[in-house]
Amino acid sequence: MSSHAHSHGPAPAGPQPLPGVDSIIAVGSGKGGVGKTTLAVNLSIALARLGFKVGLLDADVYGPNVPTMLGTTVAPEVVSGDRILPSVGFLSPGDKPLVWRGPMLHSIIKQFLGQVEWGRLDYLVIDLPPGTGDVVISLVQTVPLTGAVVVTTPSDVSLQDARKAIEMFKQVKVDVLGVVENMSYLVCPHCHQEIDVFSKGGGERTAAQFAVPFLGSIELDPDIRKGGDSGQPVVLEGDQSPHARSLFKFARHVIDRVSELKATEGPVIEIQ
Ligand SMILES: Nc1ncnc2c1ncn2[C@@H]1O[C@H](COP(=O)(O)OP(=O)(O)O)[C@@H](O)[C@H]1O
Ligand SMILES: [Mg+2]
């Protein structure tokens, strides 16, 4: 950075790496309500439990749920001048919706990335809004994303939108880390049979169709919902908990996929 310190020319074009942040993983979907935030939050905590330094950015500016799912009520701290530790959840207290237009969206995404003291991170996980809109475009213009996780349920309508999300990531040249199928089945608490509430296997088929890895199936589990609503995500129970096992497996797949991509993309840096 010092080589640009005295330059008064225009800012360098194109995405700039975030200093100190190794991998940036976006969690997206075509549809809302498929479990993006749930998976982004549990993935972040699982990665941290597995020994990594993790940041989580709530980029769902229309429906920021990360603070609720993490049980966070602490106001953002201004650390020096204009640098803070925010979430849109903190900026939008209560039920008041935020109304953002394109240019404002772009600038808030840039601020979340550039004016936040993220520190040194192995992974920065970004919870995206549903769909294929402005936020993703702003993100890819601001930082190089390592890859995107596409969340879907097995239902046809969710898969239809997931295919669009995969195509969008391809168009903006973001590698798809893989597809994860959420709400894959429900284990009946009475007869212990699996019930395919939203159909079955579509996530895996879609991954195969686009030649991207399948990152796993997460069951529909009332404890996962409760964990989100209460700010105590189930992965806090550890990887031996029956409610968290599939989430840890998913997190391990993500780790493998990121290492795989990094190995093919650039020089491997040895970490002691
Ligand atoms: N595997 C799951 N089992 C049970 N409930 C889930 C699961 N995944 C998500 N949910 C619940 O479904 C709702 C929508 O999930 P959310 O993560 O907010 O979706 P999105 O971010 O895609 O809109 C939330 O109430 C959440 O707790
Ligand atoms: Mg969400």
Side-chain angles (χ1 to χ4, degrees):
M1 287 187 75
S2 56
S3 66
H4 295 290
H6 301 293
S7 155
H8 296 288
Q16 298 294 308
L18 270 188
V21 178
D22 279 355
S23 303
I24 306 180
I25 302 170
V27 179
S29 73
K31 243 193 196 349
V34 296
K36 270 178 312 303
T37 307
T38 304
L39 296 195
V41 164
N42 280 287
L43 170 66
S44 302
I45 298 172
L47 291 171
R49 282 284 165 115
L50 294 169
F52 297 99
K53 292 274 287 172
V54 185
L56 173 58
L57 165 56
D58 191 341
D60 188 349
V61 290
Y62 305 109
N65 295 139
V66 169
T68 300
M69 289 203 195
L70 285 178
T72 313
T73 50
V74 184
E77 195 186 334
V78 178
V79 275
S80 69
D82 56 356
R83 296 178 72 83
I84 53 168
L85 308 147
S87 156
V88 176
F90 296 127
L91 304 180
S92 169
D95 294 332
K96 230 173 73 191
L98 291 173
V99 183
W100 301 101
R101 286 181 189 279
M104 285 160 77
L105 265 185
H106 186 66
S107 95
I108 196 163
I109 294 299
K110 279 185 76 162
Q111 287 182 350
F112 276 171
L113 292 160
Q115 280 172 251
V116 176
E117 290 291 343
W118 289 107
R120 208 204 70 69
L121 298 179
D122 296 304
Y123 296 98
L124 176 62
V125 177
I126 304 183
D127 181 24
L128 294 176
T132 54
D134 289 346
V135 169
V136 179
I137 307 299
S138 292
L139 266 177
V140 298
Q141 288 174 350
T142 310
V143 286
L145 296 182
T146 309
V149 170
V150 174
V151 184
T152 184
T153 74
S155 77
D156 284 346
V157 283
S158 175
L159 289 162
Q160 187 173 32
D161 296 358
R163 291 194 291 272
K164 287 195 188 126
I166 297 173
E167 286 292 355
M168 171 201 64
F169 286 121
K170 281 192 165 171
Q171 270 183 34
V172 296
K173 306 212 169 3
V174 170
D175 284 314
V176 175
L177 295 174
V179 174
V180 58
E181 186 181 279
N182 190 28
M183 309 187 187
S184 291
Y185 56 89
L186 171 77
V187 177
C188 171
H190 309 291
C191 69
H192 306 291
Q193 298 269 347
E194 288 182 10
I195 306 167
D196 302 326
V197 180
F198 296 111
S199 181
K200 192 176 187 173
E204 192 161 7
R205 277 196 303 277
T206 302
Q209 186 189 340
F210 285 89
V212 296
F214 181 58
L215 300 171
S217 306
I218 315 295
E219 66 280 19
L220 189 62
D221 176 351
D223 278 52
I224 294 180
R225 198 275 308 153
K226 281 181 212 151
D229 281 350
S230 66
Q232 291 288 314
V234 283
V235 290
L236 289 172
E237 295 171 14
D239 62 357
Q240 295 309 308
S241 160
H243 304 293
R245 214 169 280 148
S246 61
L247 288 159
F248 273 95
K249 202 169 156 196
F250 158 58
R252 290 193 169 94
H253 267 132
V254 171
I255 296 170
D256 291 347
R257 242 324 247 164
V258 169
S259 341
E260 210 178 276
L261 275 181
K262 294 221 147 181
T264 56
E265 268 173 7
V268 177
I269 298 162
E270 292 289 343
I271 302 167
Q272 290 102 19

